[in-house]
Amino acid sequence: MALLLPLLAAMVVCSYGSVSSLGCDLLHNTALPSRRTFDLLDQMRRVSPFLCLKDRRDFRLPRRLVDSGPSHKVQAMSVVHEMLQQTLSLFHTEHSSAPWSAPLLHELRTELHQQLELLDTCLEQVMVEETSALTAGDPSVALRKYFQRIRLYLEEKKYSDCAWEIVRVEILRAVSSAAKLQERMSHDRE
């Protein structure tokens, strides 16, 4: 955990940017996931992860999607989109409001929703440019299975505070991987 926070901070700083008013170039000008998402997830910490070590689980984040990364911009954006969509869905469950303050949870949901709206616009523009990119495979299937494992875990643990803390740390890791993918795609396009 101690190594995770500096890594997250470095990735966020590298990927932080703003939207270009002349067009949508997600991989160069937009920070998805945003620094605010990382900050909110960090603020949501209520239980020490060290108290929850017995509850740890490997949710098997689809490493091939985020480590090697898709070869097309539209595929990379699809990975980030699915990650954000599934994260938003996870934090919209009725049990998600129990461990955190309502205003903080609302702020996270709003942030994720805004990022998804921007990403939807960007995806439409990029898909026109790269019409054949999604024929290489849909990355969303593996990500949906990953998030289903997280949901089943929460259910199995009866949505305990420790279960939510483990999931919060896992989501930080997943969002961090999405940010790394975005950064890598940005460098590949330069």
Side-chain angles (χ1 to χ4, degrees):
M1 180 69 185
L3 295 174
L4 182 62
L5 292 177
L7 176 64
L8 286 173
M11 284 187 283
V12 168
V13 168
C14 289
S15 67
Y16 193 69
S18 63
V19 179
S20 170
S21 60
L22 300 175
C24 179
D25 190 352
L26 176 74
L27 298 173
H28 285 104
N29 299 326
T30 306
L32 287 175
S34 74
R35 173 156 176 72
R36 185 74 186 133
T37 302
F38 287 103
D39 290 344
L40 290 167
L41 284 167
D42 193 45
Q43 290 173 33
M44 291 172 77
R45 179 181 170 180
R46 293 290 174 248
V47 177
S48 170
F50 298 110
L51 296 175
C52 302
L53 291 177
K54 68 184 182 327
D55 293 314
R56 283 185 307 175
R57 175 88 42 100
D58 180 6
F59 297 105
R60 300 187 314 270
L61 176 66
R63 301 302 321 169
R64 65 180 174 73
L65 291 178
V66 292
D67 286 346
S68 58
S71 56
H72 297 282
K73 187 188 300 188
V74 70
Q75 287 178 320
M77 291 172 72
S78 289
V79 167
V80 174
H81 185 277
E82 188 65 29
M83 185 81 66
L84 292 172
Q85 181 65 50
Q86 291 292 329
T87 300
L88 180 61
S89 174
L90 183 66
F91 286 106
H92 260 292
T93 62
E94 83 178 69
H95 298 287
S96 67
S97 59
W100 298 296
S101 74
L104 192 58
L105 187 59
H106 175 73
E107 200 173 338
L108 176 66
R109 289 172 180 165
T110 301
E111 181 70 23
L112 291 169
H113 183 72
Q114 289 172 348
Q115 290 174 33
L116 279 166
E117 283 181 343
L118 174 62
L119 187 55
D120 284 339
T121 302
C122 294
L123 259 172
E124 288 175 18
Q125 290 177 13
V126 173
M127 287 179 79
V128 170
E129 298 168 15
E130 297 185 26
T131 54
S132 64
L134 283 179
T135 60
D138 185 3
S140 62
V141 174
L143 284 170
R144 282 189 208 118
K145 288 179 180 178
Y146 165 72
F147 277 92
Q148 182 59 29
R149 288 188 292 272
I150 291 173
R151 285 181 182 86
L152 290 172
Y153 166 80
L154 284 166
E155 194 174 301
E156 172 190 312
K157 295 291 186 175
K158 297 181 180 16
Y159 303 93
S160 70
D161 287 350
C162 268
W164 274 112
E165 179 57 21
I166 295 298
V167 167
R168 184 193 68 80
V169 171
E170 180 69 19
I171 295 300
L172 264 170
R173 193 181 109 202
V175 171
S176 171
S177 294
K180 283 186 347 189
L181 171 62
Q182 176 189 337
E183 179 70 18
R184 190 170 40 258
M185 289 299 290
S186 176
H187 288 298
D188 290 349
R189 298 287 180 198
E190 291 175 352

